[in-house]
Amino acid sequence: MYNDTTQAELDQVLVKAVNAFHQYKTFSLAQRANFMRTIAQEIEALGDELIQTAMAETNLPEARLVGERARTMFQLTSYAAAAEQGNWLEASIHTAVPDKTPPKPDLRKMLVPLGPVVVFGASNFPFAYSTAGGDTACAFAAGCPVIVKAHPAHAQTSTLMANAILTAAKKCNMPDGIFSHVYGAGFEVGEYLAKHDAVKAIGFTGSFGGGKALFDWANQRKNPIPVFAEMGSVNPIFILPEKVELESESLAKQLAGSITLGMGQFCTNPGLLITINSEGLERFIQHLKREIKSVSPAKMLHQGIATNYAEKLTKALAQKGVQLISQTDEEIEEGKGLITLATTNGKTFLENPILHQEVFGPYSLIVQCADEKEFLEVAKALEGQLTATLMATPNDIRAHQDLLNYIQDICGRFILNNVPTGVDVSLPMHHGGPFPASTDSRFTSVGADGIKRFARPLSYQNWDDEFLPDELKNTNPLQIWRTVNNELTREQIS
Amino acid sequence: MYNDTTQAELDQVLVKAVNAFHQYKTFSLAQRANFMRTIAQEIEALGDELIQTAMAETNLPEARLVGERARTMFQLTSYAAAAEQGNWLEASIHTAVPDKTPPKPDLRKMLVPLGPVVVFGASNFPFAYSTAGGDTACAFAAGCPVIVKAHPAHAQTSTLMANAILTAAKKCNMPDGIFSHVYGAGFEVGEYLAKHDAVKAIGFTGSFGGGKALFDWANQRKNPIPVFAEMGSVNPIFILPEKVELESESLAKQLAGSITLGMGQFCTNPGLLITINSEGLERFIQHLKREIKSVSPAKMLHQGIATNYAEKLTKALAQKGVQLISQTDEEIEEGKGLITLATTNGKTFLENPILHQEVFGPYSLIVQCADEKEFLEVAKALEGQLTATLMATPNDIRAHQDLLNYIQDICGRFILNNVPTGVDVSLPMHHGGPFPASTDSRFTSVGADGIKRFARPLSYQNWDDEFLPDELKNTNPLQIWRTVNNELTREQIS
C-alpha cells in the first residue's frame, strides 16, 4: 500500500531533521509543551476514522483502542506538563568561589537534547507506543526532531497519526523537518537510518531480534549512539508457599485475567509462574485451568504474530518434560491464538534455556520446583526482565529475603500481589529492565522520566547571566527546581 | 614487579565481588558514606610514602601530587555526602488512585546499584582518577563492589592505595570482596574482566584505543554492559574577532598557562586554537609564542607517554600546510617533551582529519580561518569534545549565535573566557562529552552525578510500607528529597 521511502528521500528527511534540530532545540519548554498538547488535540480530531482504521489493521477491539487513544493523549499532555515543570532538566548550579585554592569557577549544568531521533513503533500498541506514542512524545519534550518509520502492520493508522503531528507542527510554527514519516517493508530503511550520522538516538519497541540488530548497528557506527529498545520479557511470577496455600482461588482468578488479557500480547504478559510443589499448588492449578478455559480466544494482532505464536508454542510444548495443562479446545478460525497453560519441573527448566524464552501470546508455563533451594536456583537462572512479581503473604516475605534480593537484580519493576500487565503512565513507573528486556536498563520508555533518554548534560562555565539559557539564569525566570550550591531550591540567586 | 593476576585468581575475585554485592547493596547510605570517609582517612594515613612512591613512578612534582591527594580525599568525602543526601537516587512516588480507570497502583522508584564494577585508572592522575579515584568512589556510593586493575605505569602507588581501601573495608566491616586489586601488564586481564558475566559496568580513563576496545567487548557480550570511558579530546578554543583585537596579550598569557600546565598531560588540555585572520591575531600569536618559550619543559609521566608524544608530534608537524611557530630549543634530556606551537589554515584543517586528532602533551595547533564562513565550517567539522571554550566579548557573542548553537552540540562543557584545564569537583561539572570524547555523553566522570553511572531505576509496585527500602517508606526516615505525586518534597506521606 505504501512504497518504501527511497534512500534519496531519506537523505532529504535527514537534512531537514538536522536543520530543524538547530532551531527546535532553542525553543522554550513552553513552546515544546504547546506543540505536544496540539498534537493531542489533532489526534482527538481524527475522530472515529482513527479507531476504525486501527481496528481493521490490528484486530484490536474498539473499546481497547478508544482507551489506548486516551492513553496516548495523556502521555502527550502529561509529558508536556513534565517538560514545562523542568525537573527532568536536572539543573544544577555552583556559584564561583574565587578565593578557594584552586578557585571554583561558576558552573551551571542542565540536560540538552541529543539531536534527531528515529522511532520504531510497536505492533501491539498502534497508538501509545507507535507514531505519536511515548518515544515521540519524549523526544519532542527533550527538544529533538523525530523520524518515525511506520510499522508495516499498521501503516495506515501510522499515516493518520503522522498527519495529525504534521498539522500540529504547522499550527505551532514548528520548523520544517521537526517530524517525518517514512515507510519500509523490510529492515533496509531502518538500517540506513540507524547507521546515518545525522541520527543521534533510537527508540524501539518490539522483538529481541529487531532491537538487538538496531543496538549492534548503532554501536558499530563511527560515532555510536544510544538505542532504547524495549524487547519484552517473560515476566516471572514467584508464588510463595503460604500465599498459594491460603489464596489459591483468588490468585488463580487474578493471574488468569493477566495471562489472557489482550490475548497475551503485552510485553508485560506473565509467561512464567514459578512455584514450589504443595497441595495448595495443586488446588491453584485446578482453579487456574478452569479460569483460563472460560476465556474465549480472539484474533491476534496480525497473521505474522499468530503464525509466530503458533510456532513458538509448538516448540515450547515439544520440549522434553513439558506437560500441557490446558488449551483452547474449540475449533478456532485462522488468526486466533490457542490459550495455553503448560507445566514443567524446576530441574527441566534449569536445564533447558528454550523454556526461558518469551512466547509472545496467551501462553504461560508453571515451573514446579521441588523445594526452596531449587526455587532460588530458578530465580538466579533467569535473564533480565521488565517485571518480576511476588505473590506472597507478609510471612512469606520475611522468610524469603534472600530470594527477594536476587529477584531485584533481574527486573525493572518489582510487583507485590498485583499483576504486571497494565503499565501505569506516571513518573515512578520504570518500563525497562536488565538486558535482554531492554538494551539500556537505566532508562524507562514509560513515564515522563523517558524524556531523559533523548538528552545529555551540558555544563556552562563562567558565562555571563545574559547569555545563559533561561533555565540557568540567576533570576530563575522559569521557576524550576535547581540544585544551587548543593541544595534543591526554586529561589533565585542573589 | 607485580605478576599478572591469573585467570583462576580473577575468577575467585569475581565470585567474591558477586557475593559482596548481595550484602553491600543492602547497606544503608550512611554505611556506604562512612566507608568512603574511612578510605579518605586511610589515604591520609599513608603519609609521605604515597607521595614519594608516586613521584618516583610518574615524574609528577610533589606539590602537584599533594594537591591531587587532597582532591582525591575531597572526592571521597564529598561524594559520601552526596550519597547520604540522596538526591542522586531520584526517588519518586505516586500513591495509589484505586477509583481511576484504569486504577493507578502505588508506584515507588529509586536508583539501585548495578553490581560489580571494574575500574581502569588513568596514568595522568595516579590518585584522583585511579585506584581510589572518582570511579571507585562513585561505585561505592552507588552500592557496588569494585575491582581495580592497577595501571602498569604506577602499580606500586596503586598497591598502596588498594591497601588503604582494604584497611578501611576491614575497619568498617565491609563484606569480603567489596574491593579487589588485580594486575596485568597487557590487555588480557582487562579483556577477561570486561567480558565476564559477573561484571556489570566499567569505568575507564585513558586513550581512545583502550576505551574503545572495552566498549566493543562490553557491547559484544551476551548481556552488554555500560562502559564509561573518558578518552580525552582536543578541547578547541574558539577565539572571536573583537576579543583577540582588544585582549591579545592577556589572552595569550591565559592560554599559554593552560597549554603548558602539567606538560599538557590533561584530557582537557587545549590542543586547538580556532581563529580568524586579523591583525589582532598576529599580535596574539607573537605574544603566545613568547609566553610559551618562557616555559621550561619537564619530564613527562613515563617513557611510554614521552615516546608516544614525540611520534604524534612528528606526524602532526609533517602534515602538508602545517607550520611550526615555536618549539623548545634547549637540549632536553630523555623523557621530557618539546613544548610546541604550530599553525595551519582553515582549508588545510578541514581537508586533513589527522589534524583533528589529540596529540597528548604540550602541543597546540592554531587554525587560522579565512573568514567567518570557514570558521563556522571548522566548528561543524569537529568531533565530540570534553570541552569547548569561547574567547569572546559580549559583542562577539551577540554576533555569533549560530556558531554557539553548533559548538554546544559537540561538547560536554562550554566555557566562556576561562581555560578548560582545572576540572572542578562539583555537582554541575560535566566531564564527558559526545563520542569520541567519552563512550557515554549522558554521564559524567567528575562530580557527584557520576554516582548515577553505576545505578539503574527500579520500581516497586503495590508494596507494603514495612517491606519497602527506607528511601521509599511513607515516613521518609532518611528525610531525602522525593517527587511525591509529581511534586518535589521532603515531607512524609500521610
Side-chain angles (χ1 to χ4, degrees):
Chain A
M1 185 161 180
Y2 297 95
N3 292 328
D4 279 18
T5 307
T6 65
Q7 234 170 67
E9 288 164 339
L10 291 175
D11 286 340
Q12 228 177 342
V13 158
L14 290 160
V15 167
K16 287 206 295 183
V18 170
N19 289 335
F21 175 58
H22 282 277
Q23 295 176 62
Y24 187 57
K25 71 171 181 166
T26 68
F27 285 21
S28 69
L29 297 175
Q31 282 172 298
R32 295 182 202 166
N34 178 50
F35 175 40
M36 293 164 70
R37 291 188 189 108
T38 308
I39 295 171
Q41 287 161 10
E42 291 301 321
I43 290 172
E44 192 158 41
L46 291 172
D48 200 44
E49 187 188 358
L50 178 70
I51 303 296
Q52 296 303 323
T53 305
M55 282 171 72
E57 284 190 316
T58 66
N59 295 323
L60 290 170
E62 181 164 5
R64 148 73 197 268
L65 287 167
V66 168
E68 193 183 325
R69 177 176 60 188
R71 180 192 179 97
T72 308
M73 291 166 60
F74 177 71
Q75 286 174 172
L76 283 157
T77 55
S78 66
Y79 299 177
E84 274 191 300
Q85 186 200 39
N87 290 358
W88 68 275
L89 294 166
E90 298 179 353
S92 66
I93 294 170
H94 206 297
T95 51
V97 190
D99 53 355
K100 232 188 164 170
T101 314
K104 275 182 108 66
D106 185 280
L107 271 172
R108 301 176 186 227
K109 181 168 74 170
M110 62 182 273
L111 296 192
V112 297
L114 290 179
V117 172
V118 174
V119 172
F120 298 85
S123 70
N124 60 340
F125 278 95
F127 304 154
Y129 297 99
S130 285
T131 319
D135 290 351
T136 298
C138 287
F140 284 152
C144 301
V146 173
I147 298 162
V148 166
K149 180 181 167 297
H151 198 292
H154 53 75
Q156 216 177 330
T157 304
S158 190
T159 304
L160 284 174
M161 283 292 201
N163 290 338
I165 297 172
L166 290 168
T167 304
K170 202 163 276 175
K171 284 191 178 171
C172 299
N173 292 312
M174 287 292 139
D176 190 29
I178 183 73
F179 178 80
S180 298
H181 193 234
V182 302
Y183 302 93
F187 65 87
E188 294 83 0
V189 166
E191 181 179 3
Y192 188 76
L193 290 170
K195 290 181 171 175
H196 199 286
D197 195 50
V199 173
K200 298 301 181 197
I202 292 171
F204 170 89
T205 311
S207 69
F208 177 78
K212 185 59 163 51
L214 289 168
F215 178 78
D216 288 341
W217 289 328
N219 280 313
Q220 287 155 13
R221 288 166 52 134
K222 180 163 176 278
N223 293 309
I225 56 169
V227 172
F228 305 99
E230 190 272 88
M231 305 181 290
S233 63
V234 286
N235 304 294
I237 313 279
F238 295 88
I239 305 176
L240 297 197
E242 192 176 82
K243 182 77 175 179
V244 78
E245 179 60 33
L246 296 178
E247 300 174 36
S248 61
E249 187 164 359
S250 58
L251 198 57
K253 220 179 177 83
Q254 188 183 25
L255 285 172
S258 182
I259 290 167
T260 59
L261 189 73
M263 283 300 282
Q265 297 168 114
F266 292 111
C267 46
T268 54
N269 182 255
L272 273 184
L273 312 182
I274 302 168
T275 63
I276 304 175
N277 288 329
S278 75
E279 207 196 311
L281 175 63
E282 278 166 43
R283 273 182 278 125
F284 166 75
I285 291 176
Q286 291 314 311
H287 290 307
L288 187 62
K289 185 174 166 175
R290 197 188 58 237
E291 288 292 338
I292 279 185
K293 276 268 183 201
S294 74
V295 180
S296 286
K299 271 209 167 186
M300 297 191 76
L301 285 160
H302 55 81
Q303 194 50 50
I305 294 248
T307 306
N308 192 38
Y309 174 58
E311 278 170 17
K312 290 215 168 167
L313 181 64
T314 306
K315 188 175 169 191
L317 295 176
Q319 299 304 304
K320 209 182 135 203
V322 174
Q323 288 98 40
L324 187 69
I325 292 180
S326 148
Q327 191 166 48
T328 309
D329 52 11
E330 55 183 287
E331 276 285 319
I332 63 164
E333 51 181 302
E334 183 84 358
K336 287 187 176 177
L338 295 165
I339 301 175
T340 309
L341 191 65
T343 189
T344 193
N345 61 39
K347 188 166 174 292
T348 304
F349 182 80
L350 284 168
E351 286 168 356
N352 189 348
I354 292 170
L355 299 176
H356 299 217
Q357 289 168 10
E358 185 182 11
V359 178
F360 190 80
Y363 166 76
S364 279
L365 177 70
I366 303 176
V367 180
Q368 303 189 39
C369 299
D371 51 29
E372 296 273 354
K373 190 170 155 280
E374 195 173 76
F375 194 61
L376 189 60
E377 273 173 53
V378 167
K380 286 188 185 181
L382 293 176
E383 292 192 300
Q385 307 286 339
L386 291 170
T387 71
T389 302
L390 196 72
M391 296 295 188
T393 64
N395 285 331
D396 282 327
I397 296 175
R398 287 183 204 110
H400 291 82
Q401 286 299 307
D402 204 29
L403 175 76
L404 267 66
N405 190 323
Y406 280 102
I407 295 176
Q408 287 184 24
D409 290 342
I410 58 158
C411 67
R413 179 162 51 112
F414 195 15
I415 302 155
L416 178 65
N417 296 327
N418 230 199
V419 292
T421 44
V423 182
D424 186 50
V425 180
S426 68
L427 193 70
M429 171 54 67
H430 184 63
H431 192 63
F435 197 91
S438 70
T439 46
D440 196 332
S441 70
R442 298 164 301 169
F443 293 90
T444 182
S445 59
V446 177
D449 271 347
I451 300 172
K452 295 194 219 178
R453 290 177 293 171
F454 304 116
R456 66 179 177 92
L458 176 63
S459 284
Y460 295 84
Q461 180 172 326
N462 196 42
W463 282 78
D464 301 330
D465 203 62
E466 174 189 355
F467 299 115
L468 285 167
D470 281 353
E471 290 84 346
L472 298 176
K473 281 190 202 302
N474 283 335
T475 53
N476 194 13
L478 304 179
Q479 295 194 48
I480 59 173
W481 283 97
R482 312 187 294 189
T483 306
V484 177
N485 300 333
N486 294 324
E487 293 299 334
L488 264 167
T489 175
R490 294 173 72 183
E491 297 297 309
Q492 56 179 343
I493 296 165
S494 53
Chain B
M1 182 161 182
Y2 297 95
N3 293 329
D4 280 17
T5 308
T6 65
Q7 235 171 66
E9 288 165 339
L10 291 175
D11 286 339
Q12 229 176 341
V13 157
L14 290 160
V15 167
K16 287 206 293 183
V18 169
N19 288 335
F21 175 57
H22 281 278
Q23 294 175 63
Y24 187 56
K25 71 171 179 165
T26 68
F27 284 21
S28 69
L29 297 175
Q31 283 173 298
R32 296 182 201 167
N34 179 50
F35 175 40
M36 293 164 71
R37 290 188 189 107
T38 309
I39 295 172
Q41 287 161 11
E42 292 301 321
I43 289 172
E44 192 159 42
L46 291 172
D48 199 44
E49 186 189 358
L50 179 70
I51 303 295
Q52 296 303 323
T53 306
M55 282 173 71
E57 284 190 316
T58 66
N59 296 322
L60 290 171
E62 182 165 6
R64 150 71 197 269
L65 286 168
V66 168
E68 192 184 324
R69 177 176 60 188
R71 181 192 178 96
T72 309
M73 291 166 60
F74 177 69
Q75 287 173 173
L76 283 157
T77 55
S78 67
Y79 299 177
E84 274 190 301
Q85 186 199 41
N87 289 359
W88 69 275
L89 294 166
E90 299 179 352
S92 66
I93 294 170
H94 206 296
T95 50
V97 190
D99 53 355
K100 231 187 165 173
T101 314
K104 275 181 108 66
D106 185 281
L107 272 171
R108 299 175 187 228
K109 182 169 73 170
M110 62 182 274
L111 296 191
V112 296
L114 289 179
V117 171
V118 174
V119 172
F120 299 85
S123 70
N124 59 341
F125 278 95
F127 304 155
Y129 297 99
S130 284
T131 319
D135 290 351
T136 299
C138 287
F140 284 152
C144 301
V146 173
I147 298 162
V148 166
K149 181 182 167 298
H151 198 292
H154 54 74
Q156 214 176 332
T157 305
S158 190
T159 304
L160 284 174
M161 283 292 201
N163 289 339
I165 297 172
L166 289 168
T167 306
K170 203 163 275 175
K171 285 192 179 172
C172 299
N173 292 312
M174 287 292 139
D176 189 29
I178 183 74
F179 177 80
S180 299
H181 192 234
V182 302
Y183 302 93
F187 65 88
E188 295 82 358
V189 165
E191 181 179 3
Y192 188 76
L193 290 169
K195 290 182 172 174
H196 198 288
D197 196 49
V199 173
K200 297 302 181 196
I202 293 170
F204 170 90
T205 311
S207 70
F208 177 78
K212 184 60 164 52
L214 289 168
F215 178 78
D216 288 340
W217 289 329
N219 280 315
Q220 287 154 11
R221 289 166 51 132
K222 182 163 175 278
N223 293 310
I225 56 169
V227 172
F228 305 99
E230 190 273 89
M231 305 180 290
S233 63
V234 285
N235 305 294
I237 312 280
F238 295 89
I239 304 176
L240 297 197
E242 192 176 82
K243 183 78 176 180
V244 78
E245 179 60 34
L246 297 178
E247 300 174 37
S248 61
E249 187 164 1
S250 58
L251 198 57
K253 219 179 181 84
Q254 188 182 27
L255 284 172
S258 182
I259 289 168
T260 58
L261 189 73
M263 282 299 282
Q265 297 168 112
F266 291 111
C267 47
T268 54
N269 183 255
L272 271 185
L273 312 182
I274 301 168
T275 63
I276 303 176
N277 288 328
S278 73
E279 208 195 310
L281 175 63
E282 278 165 42
R283 274 183 279 125
F284 166 77
I285 291 175
Q286 290 315 310
H287 290 307
L288 187 62
K289 186 173 167 176
R290 196 187 59 237
E291 289 291 337
I292 278 185
K293 277 267 184 202
S294 73
V295 180
S296 286
K299 271 209 168 185
M300 297 191 76
L301 286 159
H302 55 83
Q303 192 50 51
I305 294 246
T307 306
N308 193 38
Y309 173 58
E311 279 171 15
K312 289 215 168 166
L313 181 64
T314 305
K315 187 173 168 192
L317 294 177
Q319 299 304 305
K320 207 180 137 205
V322 173
Q323 289 98 40
L324 187 69
I325 292 181
S326 148
Q327 191 166 49
T328 309
D329 52 12
E330 56 183 285
E331 276 285 318
I332 63 165
E333 51 181 299
E334 182 84 356
K336 287 189 176 177
L338 295 165
I339 301 175
T340 308
L341 190 66
T343 188
T344 193
N345 61 38
K347 188 167 173 294
T348 304
F349 182 81
L350 284 168
E351 285 169 356
N352 189 348
I354 291 169
L355 300 176
H356 299 219
Q357 289 169 10
E358 185 183 10
V359 178
F360 190 80
Y363 166 75
S364 279
L365 177 70
I366 302 176
V367 180
Q368 304 189 39
C369 298
D371 51 30
E372 297 273 353
K373 191 171 155 281
E374 195 174 74
F375 194 61
L376 189 60
E377 271 173 56
V378 167
K380 286 188 185 183
L382 293 176
E383 291 191 302
Q385 307 286 337
L386 291 169
T387 72
T389 301
L390 196 70
M391 295 296 187
T393 65
N395 283 332
D396 281 328
I397 296 175
R398 287 183 204 109
H400 291 82
Q401 286 301 307
D402 203 29
L403 174 76
L404 267 66
N405 190 325
Y406 280 103
I407 296 176
Q408 287 184 24
D409 290 342
I410 58 158
C411 67
R413 179 162 51 111
F414 195 15
I415 302 155
L416 179 64
N417 296 328
N418 229 199
V419 293
T421 44
V423 182
D424 186 50
V425 181
S426 68
L427 193 70
M429 171 54 67
H430 184 63
H431 193 63
F435 197 93
S438 71
T439 47
D440 196 333
S441 69
R442 297 165 302 170
F443 293 89
T444 181
S445 59
V446 177
D449 271 348
I451 301 172
K452 296 195 220 180
R453 289 178 294 171
F454 304 116
R456 66 178 177 92
L458 176 63
S459 285
Y460 295 84
Q461 180 172 327
N462 197 40
W463 283 76
D464 301 331
D465 202 62
E466 174 189 356
F467 299 116
L468 284 167
D470 281 353
E471 291 84 346
L472 299 175
K473 281 192 202 301
N474 284 335
T475 53
N476 193 15
L478 305 179
Q479 294 195 46
I480 59 173
W481 282 98
R482 313 187 293 189
T483 307
V484 177
N485 299 333
N486 295 322
E487 292 300 332
L488 265 167
T489 175
R490 295 172 72 183
E491 298 296 311
Q492 55 178 347
I493 296 164
S494 53

